[in-house]
Amino acid sequence: MRFVESKGQDIAVIALDTLVIGSGCAGFNAADALFDLGRKEIAILTEGVNMGTSRNTGSDKQTYYKLSLCSDAADSIYELADNLFQGGSVNGDTALAEAAGSLRSFMKLVNLGAPFPTNIYGEYVGYKTDHDPYRRATSCGPLTSKIMTEKLEGSVRRKGIPIYDEMQAVRLLVEDNAVRGVLALDLNRLSDSDWGLTVFLCSQVILATGGPAIVYEASVYPESQTGMTGMALEAGASACNLQEWQYGLASTKFRWNLSGTYQQVLPRYIAVDREGNEREFLPEYFETPEQALDFVFLKGYQWPFDTRKIAGSSLIDLIVYHETFHKGNRVFLDFRMNPKGLEKGFSGLSAEARHYLERSGAFQDTPIARLAHMNPKAIELYASHGIDLWREPLEAAVCAQHNNGGLAVDLHWQTTVSGLYAAGEAAGTFGVTRPGGSALNSTQVGSQRAAEHIADTCRKPVPEERLPEFAQQAAEELLSQCGRLLSGGETGVREQRAYFQKQMSLFAAQLRSLPEMERLAGEIAGAMERFFEGTAVKSPLELPRAYKNRDMLLVQSAMLSAMGLTGTACGSRGSALIADENGQLLSVPGFLGGKELAACRYYPGNGSHREDWVETSLQGNGFHSRFVPVRPLPRTDDWFETVWAEYTARKEI
């Protein structure tokens, strides 16, 4: 590191081969793989090594989706790839690569010590997850991704790979559509006299910053997770399927998915109004309370809100949304006593629910007792965050959980900007739906693919530690922006973020209003246009938050473009119900709340454009989205000698 002076500020300059941005499953694996492939002039940049989704999120038993590895389970790489591809709007080459790299990536984690369970013979026995025709899923428990991250971090630290902690990337340096570096704010240096500007000079960047978690108010992402997708969009990278999300029921006091056994133990759903009056509300919406319980049970392994299941388990999400957003109530899951419908035992439940509970030995007297029997770690998790499920109900809402889209990448996880790669949730390799747990597989395969492509093809020397003219100009421009922000504006950074997050949750989440999204897009465009003059930053310590807001507005604008295109052309699909007061009323056998849920009228989907993905890119002052035919799923029939020759040439063996 060396320093240069500009506009009265000291600018740190660091020259590298490759910079990895992010310290989750994807980021640590990318750096670890690069090192093993011989690339030693590398480093990790992170806002906080203990922040992010990988280390701070999970579910009742967080799922890792992989190729089947037990006894007579008939599976193949192509079948796994086809299941990913059939999610709709998915590119076939990345689906095949994620399937092909599944076993290798999984076994690397096993060899690093991740405790994925085996039977006494050593088989990795699996279970079925959502959108999964096989039993490919496995788990280390509620904290699978945290364990993965810790094991990968240990490997990175043993190799001595530098980690620049508490440093926030704010701009990619791009020249002739190729990465040349990164501008960052060193949070450790921030003061009235030092704005912490740091320039990384490098020819390759792997963006492993997670999904755009910052865009919603109702979110199950950990508060430490925000993402930096907007930075890449502003640099010219195209996005893929930003409109496709996963939403589902989650706790709000401590952000966590309420999937799996949290639902299958059949808790009571209670609502509390503004006066503090409490009621169990689900039976009000169904012909019998047993019907409501069957839907709650299905919600366990059909956790994501799905427009194809609004006559089934996803009706629970709509009712909860109606209670919270339309009626203004707070909703809780109560594990302390049985819900209505179990007064005479479990005989009134569906055969599927009874069979599951019987096989699990879970006919205890209360939901919490059933949860303690089937998954005690699920109770311990909340206890570790000061929530005692034995004594108090758990507040919940329908929340954003995962972006199936992201930056558009090719077969090597390289974006449309040369030298810029994206891995993990930052990469848009999924479409309308995906199997639960496939995202963790993608973090490992995508980061490995990016590292291998850099090692195989990128032979440029490490740049000199001098500030080239283009980087000097970019740094001076950033310093000028900081000065304008510090000169004062009308809107505080916290108020700005809260307003636009709430608007997105109201009108552009699992229920989407085309007119309201169009209005919101205009508001965001106006906020972006006057951002540096209109945003009030009281001290340099608020500069990082301000740049996060700018990134949020960029991503929200891009998302609304993609959502508007698919909503108009396709109607309701995937996780998005296109709501309209003149649309179709919910029609569910035995459902009594149709009149009351008129606010959830919707346009049904027409099934179109599943063979296309949605490309969104910055053009002029705004984002433009279009349908692009998916790249087909390759059918390989390779001759070993031919592949061997190509491989040895590529690897320079």
Side-chain angles (χ1 to χ4, degrees), residues 124-150:
Y124 290 93
V125 179
Y127 57 90
K128 289 186 69 171
T129 183
D130 41 287
H131 308 299
D132 173 23
Y134 296 95
R135 294 191 300 166
R136 295 187 177 119
T138 187
S139 175
C140 297
L143 303 174
T144 301
S145 63
K146 180 177 187 291
I147 293 169
M148 290 167 55
T149 305
E150 290 171 346

Side-chain angles (χ1 to χ4, degrees), residues 53-54 57-60 62-63 130 145 210-222 225 244-251 255-259 303-305 397-405 425 430 434-440 505 509-510 575:
T53 296
S54 294
T57 194
S59 59
D60 71 312
Q62 192 181 18
T63 297
D130 41 287
S145 63
I214 195 173
V215 301
Y216 286 114
E217 176 191 53
S219 171
V220 72
Y221 286 98
Q225 167 65 23
E244 306 296 350
W245 281 77
Q246 282 191 341
Y247 310 94
L249 287 167
S251 57
R255 295 181 174 191
W256 205 257
N257 291 350
L258 291 174
S259 58
W303 178 83
F305 177 74
V398 182
C399 297
Q401 186 258 355
H402 188 275
N403 186 209
N404 280 0
E425 196 182 344
F430 299 115
R434 64 175 179 84
S438 55
L440 290 185
S505 285
Q510 72 279 357
S575 62

Side-chain angles (χ1 to χ4, degrees), residues 431-461:
V432 183
T433 62
R434 64 175 179 84
S438 55
L440 290 185
N441 177 66
S442 186
T443 66
Q444 302 305 282
V445 177
S447 52
Q448 179 72 34
R449 298 279 303 181
E452 287 180 341
H453 192 250
I454 291 170
D456 289 345
T457 64
C458 303
R459 309 295 181 189
K460 294 179 182 178

Side-chain angles (χ1 to χ4, degrees), residues 35 67 94 117 139 167 267 289 308 325 339 403 441 529 596 603 649:
F35 189 94
L67 200 69
T94 54
S139 175
M167 199 172 283
R308 297 175 301 177
F325 280 89
N403 186 209
N441 177 66
E529 186 176 351
E596 188 173 2
Y603 284 133

Side-chain angles (χ1 to χ4, degrees), residues 4 62 121 124 143 196 207 276 297-298 345 367 388 401 421 429 435 467 544 570 581 594 621:
V4 298
Q62 192 181 18
Y121 305 103
Y124 290 93
L143 303 174
L207 203 63
F297 173 81
L298 290 174
D388 185 352
Q401 186 258 355
Y421 299 77
T429 59
L467 207 58
C570 309
E581 60 184 12
N621 294 323

Side-chain angles (χ1 to χ4, degrees), residues 576-630:
L577 206 65
I578 304 301
D580 189 273
E581 60 184 12
N582 298 315
Q584 182 173 307
L585 190 64
L586 289 167
S587 177
V588 182
F591 180 58
L592 306 178
K595 183 177 180 181
E596 188 173 2
L597 280 185
C600 293
R601 284 181 178 268
Y602 69 100
Y603 284 133
N606 56 29
S608 65
H609 292 288
R610 290 179 67 90
E611 70 284 358
D612 300 321
W613 60 279
V614 175
E615 179 190 60
T616 303
S617 56
L618 186 60
Q619 298 183 10
N621 294 323
F623 286 94
H624 174 74
S625 295
R626 66 185 183 116
F627 291 111
V628 179
V630 299

Side-chain angles (χ1 to χ4, degrees), residues 361-480:
F363 283 155
Q364 288 76 19
D365 290 338
T366 60
I368 189 65
R370 294 190 285 274
L371 189 59
H373 171 74
M374 286 201 290
N375 194 350
K377 289 186 177 180
I379 301 172
E380 294 168 9
L381 174 78
Y382 278 100
S384 69
H385 290 84
I387 301 172
D388 185 352
L389 298 183
W390 289 93
R391 297 179 179 274
E392 61 183 300
L394 188 62
E395 188 163 8
V398 182
C399 297
Q401 186 258 355
H402 188 275
N403 186 209
N404 280 0
L407 297 174
V409 295
D410 64 12
L411 180 58
H412 307 290
W413 271 247
Q414 186 170 209
T415 71
T416 54
V417 174
S418 178
L420 176 63
Y421 299 77
E425 196 182 344
T429 59
F430 299 115
V432 183
T433 62
R434 64 175 179 84
S438 55
L440 290 185
N441 177 66
S442 186
T443 66
Q444 302 305 282
V445 177
S447 52
Q448 179 72 34
R449 298 279 303 181
E452 287 180 341
H453 192 250
I454 291 170
D456 289 345
T457 64
C458 303
R459 309 295 181 189
K460 294 179 182 178
V462 175
E464 296 180 12
E465 283 191 3
R466 63 178 183 81
L467 207 58
E469 184 178 351
F470 76 91
Q472 178 82 31
Q473 292 175 352
E476 290 177 355
E477 182 182 349
L478 188 74
L479 291 173
S480 176

